[in-house]
Amino acid sequence: MPTDKPSLLPVTNQTNEKHSSRPTYHLSVKTYDVIDPDYGRAGPSTRHAKSHLKGLLSLGAVTSVALVVLASSSDTACLSSAISRLPSTSSVSSVVRWATGYDSSVHELRYQDEACRHRPQETSSEIDDWIDEERDISHRAILDNIGPRAGAIPGLVIASPSKSHPDYFYSWTRDSALTFSTIFDRFLPGPNSTAYAHGDPSLEPLIREYIHAQGNLQLLSNPSGTFLDGGLGEPKFEVDGTAFHNSWGRPQRDGPPLRAMVVSQYAEYLLDRKEPFDSTYINENIYNPKTVMAKGSILKSDLEYTAHNWHRNSFDLWEEINGLHFFTLLASRVALERGAALATRLSDPGAASFYTQEANAITDRLELFWSPDRNFISATIDAPRFGRSGLDSALILAFLHAGEQGDGVWGIAGERALSTLISYVDSFKNGLYKINDVPGDGWNGAIAVGRYSEDVYNGDGMSLANPWYLCTFGVAEMIFRIAIHFEKVDQIPITPISLHFWQNVYPSAKSGDVYQRGDGVYEHVLEKLAGWADGFLLIGKSFEGPEGSFTEQFSRLDGTPTGAKKLTWSYASFIEATNGRNEYRHISALKRD
Ligand code: NOJ
Ligand code: NOJ
């Protein structure tokens, strides 16, 4: 199977009799195996083919295109979305797709003859091309911030290459785990509905380097304690893999459960793969059922730390408030639930029941965060004591990274999540950020949002805080995930608690209404929801940095990128949000067919 760069066959120029002034182009695009070793799927080959196509279209001379694509299925999807956005003056006469299913061992050609169907949700948006390119940029930017390429030891993720104003040249446990969760999604072959149906096996060595490096960090004595006594709560480390000794908001107890979540996903994957050497790897590097906390048992050590410490105060994910936090607890709960499942698979029943017991205890405690009077979840117990309303992006991030699926009490599409989301977004209204004063509908009703409305951290010191990319993209993703749920269940019930959320996209909504697929309102509401979510991504598009880079924040006054440059977490949040968008578009297209 050829793996060279695509050959774009010469365009044959034929005279179109009917529109005598306009020639018809028959464009054949051949993109041979476009799995690019450096960039994975949708690498430069696809971009090259797409931009060639775009160039021709922008000439305005194209009235008809015949396209032959030889590519992996994800690339044909990319290209057909480009075709579906042809200017209205042109028409696609036929599209014949030859697709090779990507499978590294079998390169068998499969023939797919598919009419180019007009998919409305793929034509409407100018942001599609930007998203495709920005996803590549973000993935590369993440890889550039890991290991020796970033000036760190192998497997360590730097928060940002910025070494002064601010100095973010450290490795945070939280940022690293969330980054590897994004990388893991790309590594793991998923169902068709995900952006990565085929996975990217080339990322496995990097995942192992991460696990190895984290295992060594766990053992370091540091200002939070020793390996066996509190040290796992240390939030950040030097990039050479040594402890950080200056004063800091410590401990932060979200790190171990976030790390456990991603490492347990990898362990589950290895157990499913059923290779004998994989069990050895698990035993020696991830989870040793014969020990409690031990070197080489990184996952069990994190689970033990989490199970014993979740109820204790610690600093929040923004490193500012020492208290009990929804984000930390939700992450702890999921980590322990997954940990219990894994312990069972690894014949460690005692651990499994302990983790389950603690996860249940967390569930009981979560109720304290819900405020029926204010109709939202508070990010921290006793938030007013810290001068906070309790509305915080940490809530959105909690649902994204540790929420339940569906519309249960702590589900991402549950009424509490919906009312919390809208309350959080609303807390940035009333002129807080000048850039949100846009005429009319602005970005489909979306606004730029930051960590929490009382924030004063400007990215380098204390003055006026700004909106953050990762918070704004987080809202986009959460809305997509909510839309995915309601696409799946074919109906939207409006409850007293969720009413305000739904009125934001459908002002006539009333409590007690139930919209059903096919009744028109249901379709309208979901379309508005997806458009609203796109608005939050469009804000990122409006204020991205040079060459598609993302800092931590962008100015509340004029949107200029500010704060730590090339923030790894900003890129990861963009990828996650657009994964959500892709999944939403996939399911909504299926349901409408
Ligand atoms: C740096 C922290 O990382 C950030 O979260 C915090 O807001 C500022 N310091 C101020 O404490
Ligand atoms: C400051 C943020 O508040 C914190 O959450 C993050 O871990 C660090 N910056 C590093 O990105």
Side-chain angles (χ1 to χ4, degrees), residues 353-397:
S353 71
F354 177 48
Y355 302 154
T356 304
Q357 165 200 312
E358 294 304 309
N360 293 340
I362 296 177
T363 304
D364 294 343
R365 195 67 64 90
L366 288 179
E367 203 53 37
L368 294 176
F369 291 84
W370 170 245
S371 163
D373 306 338
R374 299 187 301 173
N375 214 25
F376 60 77
I377 301 164
S378 175
T380 296
I381 297 291
D382 283 341
R385 196 157 63 82
F386 303 100
R388 302 283 185 86
S389 71
L391 288 170
D392 190 307
S393 166
L395 296 159
I396 310 307
L397 298 170

mmCIF file of all heavy atoms in Angstrom, residues 353-397:
data_model
loop_
_atom_site.group_PDB
_atom_site.id
_atom_site.type_symbol
_atom_site.label_atom_id
_atom_site.label_comp_id
_atom_site.label_asym_id
_atom_site.label_seq_id
_atom_site.Cartn_x
_atom_site.Cartn_y
_atom_site.Cartn_z
ATOM 1 N N SER A 353 -14.036 -3.608 47.093
ATOM 2 C CA SER A 353 -15.144 -3.214 47.960
ATOM 3 C C SER A 353 -14.823 -1.939 48.741
ATOM 4 O O SER A 353 -15.706 -1.110 48.966
ATOM 5 C CB SER A 353 -15.611 -4.363 48.857
ATOM 6 O OG SER A 353 -14.639 -4.602 49.825
ATOM 7 N N PHE A 354 -13.583 -1.734 49.093
ATOM 8 C CA PHE A 354 -13.202 -0.488 49.763
ATOM 9 C C PHE A 354 -13.428 0.713 48.833
ATOM 10 O O PHE A 354 -13.991 1.742 49.227
ATOM 11 C CB PHE A 354 -11.729 -0.577 50.205
ATOM 12 C CG PHE A 354 -11.192 0.673 50.833
ATOM 13 C CD1 PHE A 354 -11.895 1.339 51.843
ATOM 14 C CD2 PHE A 354 -9.962 1.197 50.422
ATOM 15 C CE1 PHE A 354 -11.372 2.505 52.422
ATOM 16 C CE2 PHE A 354 -9.440 2.350 51.008
ATOM 17 C CZ PHE A 354 -10.152 3.007 52.005
ATOM 18 N N TYR A 355 -13.013 0.592 47.579
ATOM 19 C CA TYR A 355 -13.178 1.716 46.652
ATOM 20 C C TYR A 355 -14.669 1.993 46.402
ATOM 21 O O TYR A 355 -15.091 3.143 46.315
ATOM 22 C CB TYR A 355 -12.454 1.455 45.319
ATOM 23 C CG TYR A 355 -10.965 1.199 45.468
ATOM 24 C CD1 TYR A 355 -10.257 0.449 44.524
ATOM 25 C CD2 TYR A 355 -10.256 1.704 46.561
ATOM 26 C CE1 TYR A 355 -8.890 0.211 44.672
ATOM 27 C CE2 TYR A 355 -8.893 1.470 46.713
ATOM 28 C CZ TYR A 355 -8.222 0.713 45.775
ATOM 29 O OH TYR A 355 -6.872 0.466 45.923
ATOM 30 N N THR A 356 -15.452 0.927 46.306
ATOM 31 C CA THR A 356 -16.890 1.123 46.087
ATOM 32 C C THR A 356 -17.520 1.814 47.292
ATOM 33 O O THR A 356 -18.322 2.747 47.149
ATOM 34 C CB THR A 356 -17.581 -0.248 45.868
ATOM 35 O OG1 THR A 356 -16.930 -0.891 44.779
ATOM 36 C CG2 THR A 356 -19.056 -0.095 45.562
ATOM 37 N N GLN A 357 -17.135 1.367 48.459
ATOM 38 C CA GLN A 357 -17.669 1.978 49.693
ATOM 39 C C GLN A 357 -17.341 3.479 49.733
ATOM 40 O O GLN A 357 -18.200 4.316 50.031
ATOM 41 C CB GLN A 357 -17.037 1.241 50.880
ATOM 42 C CG GLN A 357 -17.168 1.927 52.227
ATOM 43 C CD GLN A 357 -16.109 1.402 53.209
ATOM 44 O OE1 GLN A 357 -15.928 0.188 53.346
ATOM 45 N NE2 GLN A 357 -15.404 2.296 53.871
ATOM 46 N N GLU A 358 -16.121 3.834 49.399
ATOM 47 C CA GLU A 358 -15.741 5.258 49.439
ATOM 48 C C GLU A 358 -16.431 6.050 48.326
ATOM 49 O O GLU A 358 -16.819 7.198 48.532
ATOM 50 C CB GLU A 358 -14.216 5.418 49.374
ATOM 51 C CG GLU A 358 -13.497 4.863 50.598
ATOM 52 C CD GLU A 358 -14.010 5.469 51.915
ATOM 53 O OE1 GLU A 358 -14.082 6.701 52.035
ATOM 54 O OE2 GLU A 358 -14.358 4.675 52.831
ATOM 55 N N ALA A 359 -16.587 5.429 47.168
ATOM 56 C CA ALA A 359 -17.298 6.121 46.081
ATOM 57 C C ALA A 359 -18.729 6.414 46.519
ATOM 58 O O ALA A 359 -19.267 7.507 46.271
ATOM 59 C CB ALA A 359 -17.288 5.274 44.805
ATOM 60 N N ASN A 360 -19.359 5.458 47.193
ATOM 61 C CA ASN A 360 -20.729 5.684 47.672
ATOM 62 C C ASN A 360 -20.779 6.775 48.733
ATOM 63 O O ASN A 360 -21.720 7.575 48.775
ATOM 64 C CB ASN A 360 -21.318 4.385 48.241
ATOM 65 C CG ASN A 360 -21.531 3.349 47.145
ATOM 66 O OD1 ASN A 360 -21.599 3.714 45.962
ATOM 67 N ND2 ASN A 360 -21.618 2.080 47.523
ATOM 68 N N ALA A 361 -19.759 6.797 49.575
ATOM 69 C CA ALA A 361 -19.727 7.847 50.601
ATOM 70 C C ALA A 361 -19.612 9.225 49.933
ATOM 71 O O ALA A 361 -20.201 10.207 50.387
ATOM 72 C CB ALA A 361 -18.560 7.607 51.553
ATOM 73 N N ILE A 362 -18.864 9.291 48.850
ATOM 74 C CA ILE A 362 -18.754 10.572 48.125
ATOM 75 C C ILE A 362 -20.121 10.958 47.563
ATOM 76 O O ILE A 362 -20.541 12.112 47.660
ATOM 77 C CB ILE A 362 -17.711 10.487 46.992
ATOM 78 C CG1 ILE A 362 -16.318 10.247 47.569
ATOM 79 C CG2 ILE A 362 -17.732 11.776 46.161
ATOM 80 C CD1 ILE A 362 -15.224 10.069 46.532
ATOM 81 N N THR A 363 -20.805 9.982 47.002
ATOM 82 C CA THR A 363 -22.126 10.272 46.428
ATOM 83 C C THR A 363 -23.020 10.917 47.484
ATOM 84 O O THR A 363 -23.698 11.908 47.211
ATOM 85 C CB THR A 363 -22.772 8.980 45.884
ATOM 86 O OG1 THR A 363 -21.873 8.403 44.946
ATOM 87 C CG2 THR A 363 -24.101 9.265 45.204
ATOM 88 N N ASP A 364 -23.000 10.385 48.692
ATOM 89 C CA ASP A 364 -23.813 10.988 49.763
ATOM 90 C C ASP A 364 -23.380 12.437 50.009
ATOM 91 O O ASP A 364 -24.206 13.316 50.180
ATOM 92 C CB ASP A 364 -23.664 10.202 51.070
ATOM 93 C CG ASP A 364 -24.257 8.804 50.943
ATOM 94 O OD1 ASP A 364 -25.045 8.586 49.997
ATOM 95 O OD2 ASP A 364 -23.919 7.938 51.777
ATOM 96 N N ARG A 365 -22.095 12.657 50.039
ATOM 97 C CA ARG A 365 -21.566 13.980 50.337
ATOM 98 C C ARG A 365 -21.899 14.998 49.247
ATOM 99 O O ARG A 365 -22.065 16.192 49.516
ATOM 100 C CB ARG A 365 -20.040 13.884 50.532
ATOM 101 C CG ARG A 365 -19.399 15.085 51.175
ATOM 102 C CD ARG A 365 -19.808 15.278 52.624
ATOM 103 N NE ARG A 365 -19.383 14.182 53.482
ATOM 104 C CZ ARG A 365 -18.193 14.142 54.123
ATOM 105 N NH1 ARG A 365 -17.348 15.142 54.003
ATOM 106 N NH2 ARG A 365 -17.888 13.116 54.880
ATOM 107 N N LEU A 366 -22.023 14.528 48.014
ATOM 108 C CA LEU A 366 -22.252 15.450 46.887
ATOM 109 C C LEU A 366 -23.506 16.292 47.078
ATOM 110 O O LEU A 366 -23.588 17.430 46.622
ATOM 111 C CB LEU A 366 -22.388 14.671 45.570
ATOM 112 C CG LEU A 366 -21.114 14.053 44.998
ATOM 113 C CD1 LEU A 366 -21.434 13.303 43.703
ATOM 114 C CD2 LEU A 366 -20.053 15.125 44.752
ATOM 115 N N GLU A 367 -24.485 15.704 47.760
ATOM 116 C CA GLU A 367 -25.759 16.405 47.933
ATOM 117 C C GLU A 367 -25.559 17.784 48.572
ATOM 118 O O GLU A 367 -26.321 18.708 48.308
ATOM 119 C CB GLU A 367 -26.684 15.520 48.781
ATOM 120 C CG GLU A 367 -28.151 15.793 48.605
ATOM 121 C CD GLU A 367 -28.655 15.764 47.148
ATOM 122 O OE1 GLU A 367 -28.186 14.942 46.346
ATOM 123 O OE2 GLU A 367 -29.522 16.595 46.849
ATOM 124 N N LEU A 368 -24.519 17.904 49.398
ATOM 125 C CA LEU A 368 -24.254 19.184 50.073
ATOM 126 C C LEU A 368 -23.945 20.321 49.100
ATOM 127 O O LEU A 368 -24.032 21.492 49.450
ATOM 128 C CB LEU A 368 -23.046 19.050 51.013
ATOM 129 C CG LEU A 368 -23.193 18.129 52.213
ATOM 130 C CD1 LEU A 368 -21.862 18.062 52.961
ATOM 131 C CD2 LEU A 368 -24.295 18.653 53.126
ATOM 132 N N PHE A 369 -23.547 19.966 47.885
ATOM 133 C CA PHE A 369 -23.157 21.005 46.929
ATOM 134 C C PHE A 369 -24.363 21.587 46.188
ATOM 135 O O PHE A 369 -24.256 22.614 45.540
ATOM 136 C CB PHE A 369 -22.160 20.443 45.901
ATOM 137 C CG PHE A 369 -20.814 20.120 46.487
ATOM 138 C CD1 PHE A 369 -20.567 18.905 47.115
ATOM 139 C CD2 PHE A 369 -19.785 21.049 46.413
ATOM 140 C CE1 PHE A 369 -19.326 18.611 47.649
ATOM 141 C CE2 PHE A 369 -18.531 20.775 46.949
ATOM 142 C CZ PHE A 369 -18.307 19.553 47.572
ATOM 143 N N TRP A 370 -25.470 20.895 46.250
ATOM 144 C CA TRP A 370 -26.655 21.342 45.504
ATOM 145 C C TRP A 370 -27.440 22.347 46.342
ATOM 146 O O TRP A 370 -27.734 22.094 47.506
ATOM 147 C CB TRP A 370 -27.534 20.146 45.146
ATOM 148 C CG TRP A 370 -28.882 20.533 44.592
ATOM 149 C CD1 TRP A 370 -30.101 20.294 45.164
ATOM 150 C CD2 TRP A 370 -29.148 21.219 43.359
ATOM 151 N NE1 TRP A 370 -31.105 20.786 44.365
ATOM 152 C CE2 TRP A 370 -30.541 21.367 43.248
ATOM 153 C CE3 TRP A 370 -28.325 21.733 42.333
ATOM 154 C CZ2 TRP A 370 -31.139 22.000 42.155
ATOM 155 C CZ3 TRP A 370 -28.933 22.362 41.257
ATOM 156 C CH2 TRP A 370 -30.320 22.483 41.177
ATOM 157 N N SER A 371 -27.749 23.471 45.724
ATOM 158 C CA SER A 371 -28.526 24.465 46.434
ATOM 159 C C SER A 371 -29.883 24.629 45.758
ATOM 160 O O SER A 371 -29.979 25.245 44.698
ATOM 161 C CB SER A 371 -27.768 25.799 46.436
ATOM 162 O OG SER A 371 -28.652 26.833 46.764
ATOM 163 N N PRO A 372 -30.956 24.066 46.360
ATOM 164 C CA PRO A 372 -32.271 24.144 45.718
ATOM 165 C C PRO A 372 -32.755 25.593 45.620
ATOM 166 O O PRO A 372 -33.439 25.947 44.664
ATOM 167 C CB PRO A 372 -33.191 23.335 46.634
ATOM 168 C CG PRO A 372 -32.352 22.792 47.721
ATOM 169 C CD PRO A 372 -30.968 23.328 47.612
ATOM 170 N N ASP A 373 -32.371 26.426 46.580
ATOM 171 C CA ASP A 373 -32.834 27.818 46.534
ATOM 172 C C ASP A 373 -32.223 28.569 45.358
ATOM 173 O O ASP A 373 -32.874 29.348 44.691
ATOM 174 C CB ASP A 373 -32.410 28.578 47.809
ATOM 175 C CG ASP A 373 -32.868 27.850 49.036
ATOM 176 O OD1 ASP A 373 -33.819 27.050 48.902
ATOM 177 O OD2 ASP A 373 -32.252 28.051 50.110
ATOM 178 N N ARG A 374 -30.932 28.327 45.158
ATOM 179 C CA ARG A 374 -30.272 29.085 44.098
ATOM 180 C C ARG A 374 -30.300 28.343 42.767
ATOM 181 O O ARG A 374 -29.925 28.858 41.725
ATOM 182 C CB ARG A 374 -28.830 29.393 44.519
ATOM 183 C CG ARG A 374 -28.786 30.242 45.792
ATOM 184 C CD ARG A 374 -27.387 30.692 46.117
ATOM 185 N NE ARG A 374 -26.475 29.550 46.310
ATOM 186 C CZ ARG A 374 -25.175 29.673 46.476
ATOM 187 N NH1 ARG A 374 -24.619 30.863 46.462
ATOM 188 N NH2 ARG A 374 -24.417 28.617 46.666
ATOM 189 N N ASN A 375 -30.728 27.108 42.815
ATOM 190 C CA ASN A 375 -30.879 26.325 41.590
ATOM 191 C C ASN A 375 -29.549 26.052 40.871
ATOM 192 O O ASN A 375 -29.499 25.979 39.648
ATOM 193 C CB ASN A 375 -31.848 27.047 40.629
ATOM 194 C CG ASN A 375 -32.668 26.052 39.830
ATOM 195 O OD1 ASN A 375 -32.881 24.919 40.263
ATOM 196 N ND2 ASN A 375 -33.110 26.465 38.656
ATOM 197 N N PHE A 376 -28.482 25.958 41.644
ATOM 198 C CA PHE A 376 -27.238 25.507 41.006
ATOM 199 C C PHE A 376 -26.372 24.754 42.010
ATOM 200 O O PHE A 376 -26.596 24.813 43.227
ATOM 201 C CB PHE A 376 -26.463 26.660 40.357
ATOM 202 C CG PHE A 376 -26.019 27.779 41.268
ATOM 203 C CD1 PHE A 376 -24.917 27.632 42.112
ATOM 204 C CD2 PHE A 376 -26.686 29.007 41.248
ATOM 205 C CE1 PHE A 376 -24.488 28.680 42.919
ATOM 206 C CE2 PHE A 376 -26.255 30.061 42.059
ATOM 207 C CZ PHE A 376 -25.158 29.900 42.897
ATOM 208 N N ILE A 377 -25.398 24.047 41.462
ATOM 209 C CA ILE A 377 -24.424 23.337 42.280
ATOM 210 C C ILE A 377 -23.326 24.338 42.618
ATOM 211 O O ILE A 377 -22.936 25.144 41.777
ATOM 212 C CB ILE A 377 -23.823 22.165 41.476
ATOM 213 C CG1 ILE A 377 -24.930 21.194 41.036
ATOM 214 C CG2 ILE A 377 -22.763 21.423 42.276
ATOM 215 C CD1 ILE A 377 -24.504 20.239 39.929
ATOM 216 N N SER A 378 -22.844 24.290 43.840
ATOM 217 C CA SER A 378 -21.765 25.203 44.219
ATOM 218 C C SER A 378 -20.429 24.484 44.061
ATOM 219 O O SER A 378 -20.297 23.309 44.413
ATOM 220 C CB SER A 378 -21.947 25.628 45.674
ATOM 221 O OG SER A 378 -20.842 26.407 46.064
ATOM 222 N N ALA A 379 -19.437 25.202 43.543
ATOM 223 C CA ALA A 379 -18.141 24.567 43.286
ATOM 224 C C ALA A 379 -17.427 24.171 44.576
ATOM 225 O O ALA A 379 -16.646 23.232 44.596
ATOM 226 C CB ALA A 379 -17.254 25.501 42.478
ATOM 227 N N THR A 380 -17.710 24.914 45.660
ATOM 228 C CA THR A 380 -17.008 24.683 46.923
ATOM 229 C C THR A 380 -18.013 24.789 48.058
ATOM 230 O O THR A 380 -18.920 25.626 48.008
ATOM 231 C CB THR A 380 -15.895 25.754 47.091
ATOM 232 O OG1 THR A 380 -14.934 25.566 46.050
ATOM 233 C CG2 THR A 380 -15.179 25.645 48.427
ATOM 234 N N ILE A 381 -17.856 23.964 49.076
ATOM 235 C CA ILE A 381 -18.717 24.075 50.253
ATOM 236 C C ILE A 381 -18.427 25.423 50.923
ATOM 237 O O ILE A 381 -17.256 25.808 51.060
ATOM 238 C CB ILE A 381 -18.416 22.924 51.242
ATOM 239 C CG1 ILE A 381 -18.739 21.572 50.610
ATOM 240 C CG2 ILE A 381 -19.161 23.114 52.559
ATOM 241 C CD1 ILE A 381 -20.194 21.278 50.381
ATOM 242 N N ASP A 382 -19.474 26.119 51.327
ATOM 243 C CA ASP A 382 -19.308 27.431 51.981
ATOM 244 C C ASP A 382 -18.623 28.457 51.087
ATOM 245 O O ASP A 382 -17.793 29.254 51.561
ATOM 246 C CB ASP A 382 -18.453 27.313 53.259
ATOM 247 C CG ASP A 382 -19.259 26.722 54.397
ATOM 248 O OD1 ASP A 382 -20.504 26.763 54.312
ATOM 249 O OD2 ASP A 382 -18.634 26.226 55.352
ATOM 250 N N ALA A 383 -18.946 28.436 49.817
ATOM 251 C CA ALA A 383 -18.286 29.355 48.875
ATOM 252 C C ALA A 383 -18.321 30.819 49.339
ATOM 253 O O ALA A 383 -17.306 31.520 49.224
ATOM 254 C CB ALA A 383 -18.904 29.217 47.489
ATOM 255 N N PRO A 384 -19.444 31.299 49.889
ATOM 256 C CA PRO A 384 -19.478 32.711 50.281
ATOM 257 C C PRO A 384 -18.384 33.074 51.296
ATOM 258 O O PRO A 384 -17.891 34.199 51.313
ATOM 259 C CB PRO A 384 -20.866 32.878 50.892
ATOM 260 C CG PRO A 384 -21.691 31.809 50.240
ATOM 261 C CD PRO A 384 -20.748 30.652 50.046
ATOM 262 N N ARG A 385 -17.996 32.108 52.109
ATOM 263 C CA ARG A 385 -16.929 32.352 53.060
ATOM 264 C C ARG A 385 -15.624 32.761 52.348
ATOM 265 O O ARG A 385 -14.757 33.425 52.904
ATOM 266 C CB ARG A 385 -16.695 31.078 53.886
ATOM 267 C CG ARG A 385 -15.899 31.273 55.157
ATOM 268 C CD ARG A 385 -16.201 30.142 56.147
ATOM 269 N NE ARG A 385 -15.805 28.825 55.654
ATOM 270 C CZ ARG A 385 -14.575 28.325 55.713
ATOM 271 N NH1 ARG A 385 -13.595 29.033 56.238
ATOM 272 N NH2 ARG A 385 -14.315 27.113 55.264
ATOM 273 N N PHE A 386 -15.502 32.333 51.110
ATOM 274 C CA PHE A 386 -14.306 32.683 50.330
ATOM 275 C C PHE A 386 -14.592 33.828 49.357
ATOM 276 O O PHE A 386 -13.846 34.057 48.411
ATOM 277 C CB PHE A 386 -13.816 31.462 49.538
ATOM 278 C CG PHE A 386 -13.519 30.260 50.387
ATOM 279 C CD1 PHE A 386 -14.437 29.219 50.501
ATOM 280 C CD2 PHE A 386 -12.320 30.175 51.086
ATOM 281 C CE1 PHE A 386 -14.164 28.102 51.278
ATOM 282 C CE2 PHE A 386 -12.043 29.054 51.867
ATOM 283 C CZ PHE A 386 -12.969 28.021 51.980
ATOM 284 N N GLY A 387 -15.711 34.490 49.567
ATOM 285 C CA GLY A 387 -16.048 35.605 48.672
ATOM 286 C C GLY A 387 -16.501 35.158 47.293
ATOM 287 O O GLY A 387 -16.347 35.867 46.310
ATOM 288 N N ARG A 388 -17.084 33.969 47.248
ATOM 289 C CA ARG A 388 -17.479 33.411 45.952
ATOM 290 C C ARG A 388 -18.970 33.091 45.940
ATOM 291 O O ARG A 388 -19.515 32.666 46.955
ATOM 292 C CB ARG A 388 -16.745 32.095 45.682
ATOM 293 C CG ARG A 388 -15.250 32.172 45.688
ATOM 294 C CD ARG A 388 -14.739 32.781 44.396
ATOM 295 N NE ARG A 388 -13.272 32.737 44.393
ATOM 296 C CZ ARG A 388 -12.561 31.679 43.980
ATOM 297 N NH1 ARG A 388 -13.163 30.599 43.552
ATOM 298 N NH2 ARG A 388 -11.250 31.719 43.997
ATOM 299 N N SER A 389 -19.574 33.208 44.740
ATOM 300 C CA SER A 389 -20.963 32.771 44.610
ATOM 301 C C SER A 389 -21.044 31.251 44.573
ATOM 302 O O SER A 389 -22.073 30.662 44.880
ATOM 303 C CB SER A 389 -21.561 33.312 43.308
ATOM 304 O OG SER A 389 -20.974 32.634 42.208
ATOM 305 N N GLY A 390 -19.950 30.617 44.140
ATOM 306 C CA GLY A 390 -19.969 29.162 43.961
ATOM 307 C C GLY A 390 -20.111 28.773 42.502
ATOM 308 O O GLY A 390 -19.913 27.622 42.138
ATOM 309 N N LEU A 391 -20.473 29.741 41.662
ATOM 310 C CA LEU A 391 -20.550 29.441 40.223
ATOM 311 C C LEU A 391 -19.144 29.525 39.661
ATOM 312 O O LEU A 391 -18.458 30.537 39.806
ATOM 313 C CB LEU A 391 -21.470 30.445 39.525
ATOM 314 C CG LEU A 391 -22.941 30.246 39.843
ATOM 315 C CD1 LEU A 391 -23.766 31.415 39.333
ATOM 316 C CD2 LEU A 391 -23.441 28.928 39.231
ATOM 317 N N ASP A 392 -18.724 28.461 39.016
ATOM 318 C CA ASP A 392 -17.322 28.337 38.669
ATOM 319 C C ASP A 392 -17.187 27.359 37.503
ATOM 320 O O ASP A 392 -17.901 26.345 37.447
ATOM 321 C CB ASP A 392 -16.578 27.802 39.913
ATOM 322 C CG ASP A 392 -15.080 27.847 39.797
ATOM 323 O OD1 ASP A 392 -14.536 27.318 38.813
ATOM 324 O OD2 ASP A 392 -14.434 28.410 40.710
ATOM 325 N N SER A 393 -16.250 27.649 36.632
ATOM 326 C CA SER A 393 -15.988 26.757 35.507
ATOM 327 C C SER A 393 -15.606 25.349 35.971
ATOM 328 O O SER A 393 -15.747 24.371 35.221
ATOM 329 C CB SER A 393 -14.862 27.376 34.678
ATOM 330 O OG SER A 393 -14.356 26.459 33.794
ATOM 331 N N ALA A 394 -15.137 25.246 37.212
ATOM 332 C CA ALA A 394 -14.793 23.927 37.762
ATOM 333 C C ALA A 394 -15.995 22.981 37.695
ATOM 334 O O ALA A 394 -15.831 21.763 37.589
ATOM 335 C CB ALA A 394 -14.340 24.075 39.215
ATOM 336 N N LEU A 395 -17.197 23.543 37.753
ATOM 337 C CA LEU A 395 -18.403 22.715 37.689
ATOM 338 C C LEU A 395 -18.563 22.118 36.293
ATOM 339 O O LEU A 395 -18.914 20.947 36.129
ATOM 340 C CB LEU A 395 -19.627 23.569 38.039
ATOM 341 C CG LEU A 395 -19.608 24.109 39.475
ATOM 342 C CD1 LEU A 395 -20.514 25.328 39.608
ATOM 343 C CD2 LEU A 395 -20.019 23.011 40.447
ATOM 344 N N ILE A 396 -18.307 22.944 35.301
ATOM 345 C CA ILE A 396 -18.400 22.477 33.913
ATOM 346 C C ILE A 396 -17.345 21.391 33.696
ATOM 347 O O ILE A 396 -17.629 20.324 33.138
ATOM 348 C CB ILE A 396 -18.137 23.655 32.923
ATOM 349 C CG1 ILE A 396 -18.991 24.883 33.270
ATOM 350 C CG2 ILE A 396 -18.282 23.216 31.477
ATOM 351 C CD1 ILE A 396 -20.451 24.629 33.403
ATOM 352 N N LEU A 397 -16.136 21.679 34.167
ATOM 353 C CA LEU A 397 -15.046 20.713 33.984
ATOM 354 C C LEU A 397 -15.335 19.419 34.734
ATOM 355 O O LEU A 397 -14.996 18.325 34.274
ATOM 356 C CB LEU A 397 -13.720 21.325 34.437
ATOM 357 C CG LEU A 397 -13.299 22.567 33.633
ATOM 358 C CD1 LEU A 397 -12.112 23.264 34.296
ATOM 359 C CD2 LEU A 397 -12.950 22.190 32.197
#
